[in-house]
Amino acid sequence: PDLPQPDDERTAIETALWNSLDERAAGVAGAGMLALNRLAGRYVNIDKARLAEKVQKLAGSGNPMQIRVTAMQLCGSLGVASMLPEARVVAQTGETVPLRMAAVGMLGQMGTADDVELLQGLANGSDKPVKTAATYALKALKAGPAPEPKK
């Protein structure tokens, strides 16, 4: 039998991953987001703007919590600045601790000097996991952006 060509296989895999982002099952969409993000760091043909747009939508309310947590984390690594206002709210009032921690992490990755007071308040709060996340986010925010990895 004829075996698929490498480019055909890669195209089929990418299509399956993009389609997985429309699944409501948390594990499926989350795995798809993570895989596409990883591939976007290795291959120029992965549309990072499209991925950022999809991830931003998945981070919003109305989606399953596990999907929102993963998407919020990826918003930070993808630099989705338009999610910062929502991350600030979610960091303080998110429905679950993991979601709040993801929002705090996003603020640590790409927040501004205006976020220092918010993060300090969370670092001094009573919720231990959020306190820990806020402490690390403050350190990351004060340290500035990480250098680009060498290729």
Side-chain angles (χ1 to χ4, degrees):
D2 290 331
L3 295 175
Q5 297 300 309
D7 285 342
D8 293 340
E9 283 184 340
R10 192 175 82 208
T11 299
I13 291 168
E14 288 174 24
T15 299
L17 290 172
W18 284 111
N19 289 340
S20 75
L21 302 186
D22 295 325
E23 292 292 325
R24 296 294 87 192
V28 174
M33 283 187 278
L34 292 170
L36 283 165
N37 185 53
R38 183 165 174 88
L39 290 175
R42 296 183 67 191
Y43 301 105
V44 296
N45 65 313
I46 301 293
D47 187 344
K48 288 183 183 180
R50 179 181 173 199
L51 179 58
E53 182 182 317
K54 292 289 265 183
V55 166
Q56 181 176 355
K57 287 179 184 174
L58 292 170
S61 61
N63 289 305
M65 192 57 59
Q66 288 177 314
I67 291 174
R68 291 185 68 200
V69 170
T70 302
M72 186 70 71
Q73 292 169 334
L74 288 177
C75 281
S77 65
L78 289 167
V80 184
S82 57
M83 277 299 290
L84 281 170
E86 185 167 347
R88 292 177 181 118
V89 172
V90 170
Q92 299 174 82
T93 62
E95 301 94 305
T96 67
V97 169
L99 184 60
R100 291 181 66 206
M101 291 173 64
V104 166
M106 182 181 170
L107 293 175
Q109 286 180 295
M110 58 181 300
T112 67
D114 295 337
D115 295 311
V116 170
E117 186 177 332
L118 183 154
L119 291 170
Q120 285 174 332
L122 294 171
N124 293 324
S126 59
D127 193 331
K128 187 168 170 93
V130 176
K131 279 177 72 158
T132 303
T135 300
Y136 282 108
L138 277 167
K139 288 179 186 175
L141 191 58
K142 289 177 182 178
E148 288 291 318
K150 293 181 181 176
K151 296 191 178 195

